[in-house]
Amino acid sequence: MYVDVVLPGIWWHPLTYAVSEPVEAGCRVVVPMGPRHGKRVGFVLATKENIEDEADYEIKEIIKVLDQTSVLSWELWSLSEWVSRQYLCSQGEILKLMCPSSITKGCEVTDINPSPQKPAHSFYSEECIYEIDDEERYKRYIDTIENVGSGLILFPEEAVAKSFWDRLPKEIQERALLWPSGGGKKTFDAWLRARRKEVSLVIGSVGVLFAPLAPIELVLIEEEASYSYTFVRYPYLSLRHIAAKRAQMWGSRLIFGGRIPSSRLYLLKRPQLKRNVRDQIQFANIRTSTKPILPRIIPELPISSMLLKNSLEVINRGEVVIWILDRKGYAGEISCEECGWTMTCPECGSFCRISQGETMCFFCGRKSEIPTVCPSCMSRLLVGRRPGIEALYEIARALVGDAAPTCKWYKEKSGKKLRASMLKELEHGGIIVGSRLSLSFCDDCPVGLVGWIDADAEARRPQYDARFAAFSMIWESRFRGKNTDKRKVIVQSRRPYRGWQKGLRLGWQLFWDEELKERYELNFPPFNLLIEMTGPSKVIEEVFSLLDKSGFAVYKPIADEAQLWIKTKEIKVLRELLEPYFHISRSKIGFPKARIWRD
């Protein structure tokens, strides 16, 4: 007798092992794998009496069966199969993401009852709640939650989920669970509580997605257009897409909410913006702005008189100002004015920026002293280009002096302790200079002004959705958190009021109507799937040739790079063609990886 076992590897197929008696699908087993008598924990896919083809290799026996019944419900098991097909990855990788690390390491699990069966009749429904006012939107969410028995409530950020939890009536909190952040024992305990039906509601950020709650009557996705719902590491899942599938599988009520809809939701549902937002965001022309002189930096960093004047007014009344510039360091690169030489990292060849009085590689993080002469022409005319957050911080400090605190906030300079310290320091007003992550302070302190130093740069990223990324961030800065009635947003731009920025004045309906026209003409999402494939050069060349011959729209943006792009609606056909490239026998050659954009 044999079993097919799914293991957390990049290959798509199960591995076959011998077993003395049948094992239920979904149970965990310990199997031999790898050199030096290695062991791995896997999930049984199926038991079979015989092997169809005569094996030309040794079939090893299972070492140990860990469970008597599946640790996952039928729904999560089926979901893992569906996700692997939709995202061109292995079921084993999805199971590893679904389960706490204790489960995949073989920890004992007891008192697990069989999960409820799939409902005989589906009452699946979809609705949208798009309100720019957080309080109004949350009130509607709470009214909905009070009338359902069980559900998953997803938020894009842990802090926002905690804020919503604090608003819930006590009677809801008593039957609900606020999902813990990170992993470890707390997450495992939360997973067990949900699996044992000790709670009926689970609320939290992206970690909630695979909570083993059953049955599910409601799935609510707050800020469904947020980029936080997309994994930044392989297998690059869209958590919103998967959450919607869970609602469909249970035949439950699915609610999409937020301040702004995603492209797919706007295309399918056409939600309406009910509140008049005309001229709630102001614009300043960079071309006519003041250009403070910064030592050895070109070009200068323009700051409009409108932004300077309003910043001082807000600080004087004891509120917080946020200046946003998504460029780290003091300058984005170092170059020679004489010969045009640009400093690159000797280790990896990437550009180096100036940060905290030294140079730092963008890619590998290698640090070194700032050069004083050009190694190409020996000129001393070295300058920093594209000023960043540290340069902007110097301008902010010069503006307020010692009258108010000036703080920095970006990914590398953040954390709970620093945040608590900054909030205390900003009790009576001040300036935060940082990246888009600074917008989280809108939830905790009275932000009276948000200034976007270079809005055009936000929309210049080489991605098809760059304009929406810029639009959604600026829109969020106007309506997120506390003090929104008094808050001003000033957008500095070289082309104010034009192009995608018109929607900031008149609403996201105008923005999406114009944006979707262009995406339709170019066959971009949501009208097609856009798939990026990377991997070993030889493998990518083979895949490119195969897909091109098979009639797929496939492109290589840079000839010598191991990267290609595919536009398609036929994900099933594409997976069938790619399957041979994901066999365990190709481990030494290497595997391609796919990233899929849906909207």
Side-chain angles (χ1 to χ4, degrees):
M1 189 172 290
Y2 305 93
V3 287
D4 287 336
V5 179
V6 175
L7 290 158
I10 200 168
W11 56 90
W12 287 359
H13 57 89
L15 302 182
T16 301
Y17 290 89
V19 68
S20 58
E21 56 186 32
V23 182
E24 182 182 327
C27 289
R28 295 170 301 155
V29 291
V30 180
V31 298
M33 186 180 179
R36 300 176 185 176
H37 307 290
K39 299 177 183 179
R40 300 282 290 275
V41 175
F43 293 80
V44 172
L45 181 64
T47 302
K48 52 191 180 183
E49 292 288 342
N50 302 298
I51 299 177
E52 293 180 4
D53 300 318
E54 191 68 27
D56 57 357
Y57 53 87
E58 178 190 1
I59 297 180
K60 298 179 180 179
E61 290 192 5
I62 278 178
I63 296 172
K64 185 179 181 181
V65 178
L66 297 175
D67 307 306
Q68 298 303 312
T69 187
S70 174
V71 293
L72 295 176
S73 65
W74 67 267
E75 177 245 348
L76 286 177
W77 184 258
S78 300
L79 185 70
S80 69
E81 296 176 324
W82 178 85
V83 173
S84 68
R85 293 194 301 269
Q86 291 292 314
Y87 288 89
L88 303 177
C89 59
S90 74
Q91 186 179 359
E93 289 174 301
I94 303 305
L95 289 168
K96 185 178 180 181
L97 287 173
M98 278 186 171
C99 301
S101 58
S102 300
I103 296 291
T104 55
K105 289 177 181 177
C107 178
E108 183 180 3
V109 178
T110 57
D111 302 327
I112 294 293
N113 298 318
S115 65
Q117 294 300 307
K118 184 176 182 179
H121 302 287
S122 175
F123 298 97
Y124 175 73
S125 65
E126 295 178 358
E127 59 188 279
C128 299
I129 300 178
Y130 291 103
E131 295 278 356
I132 56 177
D133 182 81
D134 290 355
E135 293 298 330
E136 177 62 29
R137 198 169 64 254
Y138 289 170
K139 183 178 182 299
R140 292 184 62 182
Y141 291 167
I142 292 171
D143 290 343
T144 300
I145 292 169
E146 285 178 332
N147 295 305
V148 298
S150 62
L152 294 177
I153 318 298
L154 282 79
F155 288 84
E157 299 173 26
E158 292 172 7
V160 181
K162 177 63 167 62
S163 175
F164 179 76
W165 173 270
D166 292 338
R167 289 174 166 86
L168 291 175
K170 187 177 180 180
E171 55 269 22
I172 293 181
Q173 289 187 356
E174 288 174 349
R175 63 186 180 94
L177 169 68
L178 179 63
W179 198 261
S181 60
K185 187 177 185 303
K186 287 184 178 179
T187 299
F188 184 44
D189 290 343
W191 190 90
L192 287 174
R193 289 189 65 194
R195 184 69 176 87
R196 291 168 179 164
K197 303 181 181 61
E198 295 174 9
V199 294
S200 60
L201 283 168
V202 181
I203 298 167
S205 61
V206 294
V208 167
L209 177 66
F210 296 122
L213 196 67
I216 298 174
E217 297 178 19
L218 169 70
V219 174
L220 193 158
I221 309 171
E222 160 67 348
E223 286 295 1
E224 57 86 15
S226 172
Y227 286 93
S228 297
Y229 288 122
T230 302
F231 271 15
V232 295
R233 292 191 294 269
Y234 186 77
Y236 307 115
L237 307 180
S238 168
L239 306 188
R240 185 203 64 199
H241 181 220
I242 298 169
K245 181 63 177 180
R246 292 198 72 178
Q248 291 173 357
M249 294 176 77
W250 280 110
S252 57
R253 186 178 176 186
L254 175 62
I255 296 178
F256 298 103
R259 303 179 194 94
I260 180 173
S262 62
S263 64
R264 185 172 295 275
L265 262 293
Y266 184 77
L267 179 67
L268 296 175
K269 301 293 184 181
R270 296 286 173 173
Q272 299 298 305
L273 180 60
K274 298 176 182 178
R275 180 169 154 184
N276 181 12
V277 296
R278 188 180 183 89
D279 297 331
Q280 294 205 15
I281 296 174
Q282 301 175 33
F283 293 82
N285 194 327
I286 283 181
R287 300 179 192 277
T288 59
S289 297
T290 304
K291 296 179 174 62
I293 297 175
L294 295 164
R296 308 195 76 173
I297 288 284
I298 59 171
E300 298 89 349
L301 195 59
I303 306 291
S304 65
S305 57
M306 179 194 297
L307 181 58
L308 293 172
K309 178 184 175 183
N310 280 274
S311 295
L312 289 174
E313 288 177 357
V314 169
I315 291 170
N316 288 336
R317 65 173 186 251
E319 295 176 355
V320 175
V321 173
I322 300 177
W323 286 1
I324 296 178
L325 180 65
D326 256 352
R327 279 199 297 270
K328 298 174 186 176
Y330 187 77
E333 61 184 65
I334 308 164
S335 65
C336 175
E337 284 201 286
E338 193 74 30
C339 70
W341 168 85
T342 299
M343 182 176 179
T344 56
C345 175
E347 297 287 338
C348 66
S350 298
F351 287 116
C352 294
R353 65 170 179 256
I354 302 174
S355 179
Q356 299 179 353
E358 58 187 356
T359 67
M360 177 185 292
C361 173
F362 276 105
F363 186 74
C364 69
R366 183 182 184 275
K367 297 179 180 180
S368 61
E369 293 183 0
I370 299 175
T372 56
V373 296
C374 172
S376 177
C377 68
M378 304 308 292
S379 168
R380 292 184 176 273
L381 296 177
L382 297 181
V383 294
R385 297 183 183 275
R386 298 188 298 114
I389 289 174
E390 291 175 22
L392 183 62
Y393 175 78
E394 296 300 324
I395 296 173
R397 284 194 63 187
L399 176 67
V400 299
D402 296 328
T406 306
C407 307
K408 285 182 283 190
W409 188 264
Y410 47 93
K411 185 176 180 180
E412 289 78 9
K413 190 175 175 61
S414 58
K416 291 182 179 179
K417 290 184 178 179
L418 178 60
R419 186 184 186 86
S421 173
M422 280 178 56
L423 287 172
K424 188 173 182 180
E425 193 176 359
L426 294 165
E427 281 181 350
H428 304 292
I431 296 184
I432 300 173
V433 176
S435 68
R436 66 190 73 180
L437 297 178
S438 306
L439 291 178
S440 63
F441 283 90
C442 294
D443 300 326
D444 301 313
C445 54
V447 175
L449 172 66
V450 178
W452 291 86
I453 305 303
D454 190 354
D456 304 314
E458 305 294 340
R460 280 200 300 265
R461 294 183 303 118
Q463 275 88 28
Y464 74 94
D465 60 346
R467 287 191 294 262
F468 174 65
F471 181 94
S472 61
M473 286 189 299
I474 296 172
W475 190 265
E476 177 185 358
S477 70
R478 174 62 187 86
F479 299 108
R480 176 172 178 169
K482 302 176 179 178
N483 206 45
T484 56
D485 291 340
K486 298 180 181 178
R487 185 183 306 157
K488 290 183 179 180
V489 172
I490 296 176
V491 177
Q492 295 194 156
S493 171
R494 293 165 186 81
R495 301 177 69 246
Y497 306 109
R498 297 182 184 178
W500 62 272
Q501 296 177 18
K502 289 188 292 185
L504 292 171
R505 295 186 67 195
L506 303 174
W508 41 254
Q509 290 157 299
L510 175 64
F511 170 81
W512 273 132
D513 287 342
E514 296 296 321
E515 178 76 2
L516 288 176
K517 284 180 186 176
E518 184 171 328
R519 292 199 193 181
Y520 177 77
E521 292 173 359
L522 297 171
N523 276 327
F524 281 150
F527 302 100
N528 253 327
L529 297 179
L530 184 62
I531 304 171
E532 177 192 12
M533 295 207 72
T534 56
S537 298
K538 183 179 178 181
V539 175
I540 292 299
E541 288 295 334
E542 291 177 7
V543 171
F544 178 83
S545 178
L546 172 66
L547 297 182
D548 188 43
K549 290 177 181 177
S550 301
F552 278 85
V554 57
Y555 314 90
K556 286 201 73 176
I558 303 175
D560 296 330
E561 287 198 6
Q563 179 192 48
L564 57 87
W565 291 86
I566 309 155
K567 290 180 184 177
T568 184
K569 293 180 180 177
E570 303 295 334
I571 195 75
K572 182 179 179 181
V573 175
L574 180 61
R575 184 178 174 90
E576 290 172 355
L577 288 170
L578 292 174
E579 193 164 358
Y581 294 93
F582 289 89
H583 193 275
I584 194 171
S585 61
R586 296 178 63 89
S587 296
K588 291 184 179 179
I589 302 172
F591 302 96
K593 290 183 178 180
R595 182 172 188 172
I596 302 175
W597 279 268
R598 297 178 179 274
D599 58 14

